[in-house]
Amino acid sequence: MALQRSPFATAAVIAALSLACGAQVPGGAAPTDAATAADAATNGTDAGVNVTDAPPTDVPMPPRGIAALGNGRHSLAAVRVREIATDADGLDRPRDLAFNPLAPEQLWVTNFGSNSITVVLNPGTPERSAETYGGAGSEHFLVHPSGLAFGDNGYLATAQETDQITQRTTPANFMGPTLWDGDLARFNGGHASHLDMLHNSPNSNGIAWETGNVYWVVDGAHRALARYDFNQPHERGGEDHSDATLHRYAEGMLEYMPGVSAHIEYDHANRVVYLTQPATNRVVMFNPEGAAMGTRITPNYDGSRQNRMNGGTIETFIDGATAELQRPSGLALVGDVFYVTDNATSRVTAFNRMGQRVDWLDLGAMVPTNSVQGVAVDSRGWIYVADAAGDRVFEIAPAD
């Protein structure tokens, strides 16, 4: 079964497009604001492509406006923006950030420039503190971290963006995701504290957790999505990776932009993956349903089960040109709201599950262009963004 590619803009007009037998079917675009979406609907088919002007009735619609983005006022005066971490705390080209779900007072930030992670405790409070972890061996196990994701079992995994030799005994294309213990009493960011590491995804620039020890990785080297199952971690500092599984999807169908993270979210409710594509100015959705086992992947450095997967569906969820984006990078899915950062313009935009724009805030007066990347949202709905060029993390909260 060949992979189906169906680019579409999901706003007032949703065009589901399929790639069958290698032929792409053209489709239409749409307005982006939920508030201006047309109410009328028409249905039709053209060469097997369904086109509808009406949004699905079963898609939850969030309120018009997000409190931490100013409730539709699009003004910095409507929110409170402040630095909650800087280079003085050890930040060095921060690319991604995430709260530890088992210790929500901990905000973990990847440092691309120093092969390390900075953990900010109690951000934005008088009790705030920060510590940076990059133990011996971080130049391999945590080299140029571009993304991180927590599971629900106390573990997290990181994606590394490099295609260079990082240790004398392994080749340049050896790089892949690393599994860690999220307990700060055990984590040091180096060889001794890593729980597992798998290989064959150099230049990874995004990662998301699915279940157990299963993570999806944006594989820049193969322009693909890689689903890694670490299975049972080896002992700390160990080397046995043979019980793992790698399934590579949509190989050659994604684009890679060096230095800009393509952040990714796994939608547990619908069992699909969303990811930003800064190189093509869009946010895509990938559905692995229907994919079948393909050829084995070589070289296989782990002695594990590694296969290409044939099939699945890839769709353009948000067309950047119609959504006033230029280079989408950061991505967070919270409930029914997608938060997207624009690396080119320093704008944070919220979208609903239709791909319609709900709200946005321009941070350009505070953050330089070509800098904003990762985004995270806490339990209060406050937003945190990584300023890679400025070595800062910003907190965005309602003004009142």
Side-chain angles (χ1 to χ4, degrees), residues 3 249 270-273 285-291 311-315:
L3 182 76
Y249 296 84
N270 297 296
R271 299 181 180 179
V272 297
V273 174
M285 180 189 75
F286 177 73
N287 186 347
E289 184 177 5
T313 303
I314 190 166
E315 301 172 342

Side-chain angles (χ1 to χ4, degrees), residues 312-339:
T313 303
I314 190 166
E315 301 172 342
T316 298
F317 174 59
I318 299 168
D319 174 29
T322 60
E324 297 186 349
L325 301 176
Q326 294 183 27
R327 194 183 302 138
S329 176
L331 179 66
L333 172 58
V334 182
D336 294 315
V337 180
F338 294 84
Y339 296 84

